[in-house]
């Protein structure tokens, strides 16, 4: 069948409009999904049928894990929904294609307080240890974390600090970190650092990439015998621990950047217990 490039001007314009406002990481991921789909169907977007999408979904089931398959199909369905809503295509072939059901594996990506403490204390690199702690307290997505600059943190009257995160859906939210973490973090600030300077610098004196942070987190987990740990694990873990220690659900919804309580409430079913930095109980290694 051969490969097919995004050929028509209509396709390019449609995809650009659909991707508008999404994060760089999301745009790259969605573009790969769309390219894969169009190469599979070998048809212009306006000629795609329900059967084409079902055939592609069947092919995905043979190549990808259920969660990846569900994400890729969701991207295609979203594109066609957008195109139909804006009257760029006459029908929406994705509307009748059901999304595959997947196992809710969030509980498998939560570290206990003991596991998290062992992972944190075993990290031999001081800066990496500090980065892990900030990921845990802010519950930031890795792209949000890598984008942090000194101007994004403001000290509060009680000695804690307010961190401004900008991320998914072009939304801004604020989270609080403990006074202890802020004092240690503030002490690392170089004398010549400006407001626009990255919070952490790698060995090349540049901001850490998302890939570098993933590697740091993965290595920290493996050091104590926990495999597959990612920055998102730490996001889930930080939220769950704060929930257990008494943080209100609505506060976690705001600080995690969830659009609704339904997403946040998943954490309620993981570990028993009744979320902001004042609910962090793990002793820091500083």
């Amino acid at each position: 069948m051969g490969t097919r490039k995004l050929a028509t001007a209509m396709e390019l314009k449609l995809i650009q409009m659909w991707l508008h406002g999404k994060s760089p990481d999301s745009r790259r991921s969605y573009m790969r999904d769309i390219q894969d789909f169009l190469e599979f169907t070998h048809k212009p977007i306006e000629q795609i049928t329900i059967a084409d999408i079902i055939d592609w979904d069947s092919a995905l089931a043979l190549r990808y894990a259920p969660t990846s398959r569900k994400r890729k199909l969701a991207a295609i369905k979203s594109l066609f929904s957008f195109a139909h809503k804006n009257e760029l295509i006459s029908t929406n072939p994705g509307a009748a294609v059901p999304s595959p059901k997947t196992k809710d594996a969030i509980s498998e990506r939560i570290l206990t307080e003991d596991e998290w403490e062992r992972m944190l204390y075993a990290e031999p690199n001081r800066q990496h240890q500090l980065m892990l702690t900030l990921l845990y307290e802010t519950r930031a997505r890795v792209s949000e974390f890598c984008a942090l600059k000194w101007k994004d943190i403001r000290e509060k009257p009680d000695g804690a600090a307010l961190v401004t995160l900008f991320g998914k859906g072009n939304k801004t939210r604020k989270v609080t970190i403990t006074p202890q973490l802020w004092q240690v973090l503030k002490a690392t600030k170089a004398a010549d650092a400006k407001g626009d300077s990255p919070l952490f610098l790698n060995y090349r004196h540049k901001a850490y990439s998302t890939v570098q942070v993933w590697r740091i987190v993965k290595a920290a987990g493996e050091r104590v015998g926990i495999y597959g740990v990612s920055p998102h694990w730490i996001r889930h873990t930080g939220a769950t621990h704060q929930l257990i220690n008494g943080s209100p659900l609505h506060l976690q919804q705001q600080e995690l950047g969830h659009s609704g309580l339904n997403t946040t409430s998943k954490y309620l079913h993981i570990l028993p217990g009744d979320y902001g930095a004042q609910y962090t109980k793990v002793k820091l290694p500083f």
Side-chain angles (χ1 to χ4, degrees):
M1 183 177 290
T3 60
R4 174 185 181 276
K5 301 299 181 184
L6 300 177
T8 70
M10 186 280 272
E11 286 175 342
L12 290 171
K13 184 64 175 177
L14 165 60
I15 293 167
Q16 288 168 0
M17 289 191 297
W18 174 63
L19 293 176
H20 179 71
K22 292 179 170 59
S23 71
D25 286 342
S26 293
R27 287 198 294 269
R28 284 190 291 270
S29 176
Y30 289 148
M31 278 301 297
R32 287 194 296 269
D33 295 338
I34 298 302
Q35 184 67 59
D36 185 32
F37 174 72
L38 292 178
E39 288 178 355
F40 177 87
T41 61
H42 211 62
K43 287 182 177 181
I45 284 178
E46 61 269 26
Q47 295 179 17
I48 299 296
T49 65
I50 295 173
D52 292 323
I53 299 177
I54 291 175
D55 286 346
W56 185 64
D57 182 42
S58 298
L60 291 179
L62 300 175
R63 298 163 53 199
Y64 295 97
T67 51
S68 296
R69 172 191 168 202
K70 183 175 183 179
R71 179 188 61 76
K72 287 175 176 293
L73 181 60
I76 301 304
K77 286 167 64 70
S78 174
L79 173 64
F80 280 103
S81 177
F82 174 86
H84 184 248
K85 182 178 180 180
N86 288 279
E87 300 181 347
L88 298 173
I89 54 176
S90 58
T91 59
N92 178 4
V97 181
S99 297
K101 295 187 181 300
T102 58
K103 174 185 175 183
D104 186 356
I106 191 172
S107 61
E108 299 170 7
R109 301 189 294 270
I110 302 295
L111 302 170
T112 65
E113 290 187 335
D114 178 66
E115 288 173 330
W116 169 245
E117 194 167 306
R118 286 194 293 111
M119 182 172 149
L120 191 59
Y121 275 75
E123 172 57 63
N125 183 297
R126 180 75 164 178
Q127 177 166 280
H128 293 176
Q129 198 176 52
L130 187 55
M131 291 167 66
L132 291 170
T133 306
L134 188 62
L135 275 168
Y136 175 78
E137 288 202 8
T138 60
R139 290 140 290 146
R141 298 178 177 93
V142 66
S143 57
E144 298 167 345
F145 178 83
C146 291
L148 281 174
K149 296 177 172 54
W150 284 105
K151 67 180 181 181
D152 296 322
I153 305 184
R154 291 287 181 268
E155 186 166 330
K156 297 171 65 178
D158 62 358
L162 201 63
V163 180
T164 300
L165 300 170
F166 179 75
K168 190 174 182 180
N170 290 329
K171 294 179 181 178
T172 300
R173 65 187 191 280
K174 298 182 184 297
V175 299
T176 306
I177 60 174
T178 57
Q180 183 183 3
L181 175 57
W182 170 233
Q183 291 306 313
V184 176
L185 184 62
K186 186 166 59 172
T188 69
K189 186 176 182 180
D192 60 347
K194 305 289 193 298
D196 282 329
S197 299
L199 215 57
F200 299 104
L201 297 174
N202 61 24
Y203 67 97
R204 292 182 177 175
H205 300 286
K206 296 183 180 297
Y208 281 83
S209 69
T210 56
V211 172
Q212 287 175 315
V213 175
W214 270 75
R215 287 173 178 165
I216 289 168
V217 172
K218 181 173 179 285
E222 291 177 351
R223 198 173 286 115
V224 293
I226 306 172
Y227 297 91
V229 181
S230 72
H232 221 65
W233 278 42
I234 299 181
R235 174 173 158 85
H236 291 319
T237 296
T240 302
H241 291 180
Q242 290 194 13
L243 174 61
I244 292 169
N245 291 318
S247 174
L249 187 63
H250 72 275
L251 177 59
Q252 280 305 299
Q253 178 199 349
Q254 294 169 9
E255 296 200 343
L256 287 165
H258 289 161
S259 58
L261 281 173
N262 285 344
T263 302
T264 316
S265 64
K266 291 180 181 179
Y267 296 105
L268 289 170
H269 305 291
I270 298 165
L271 294 169
D274 270 334
Y275 293 157
Q278 64 266 38
Y279 300 104
T280 298
K281 304 299 182 184
V282 173
K283 184 178 179 182
L284 302 182
F286 308 120

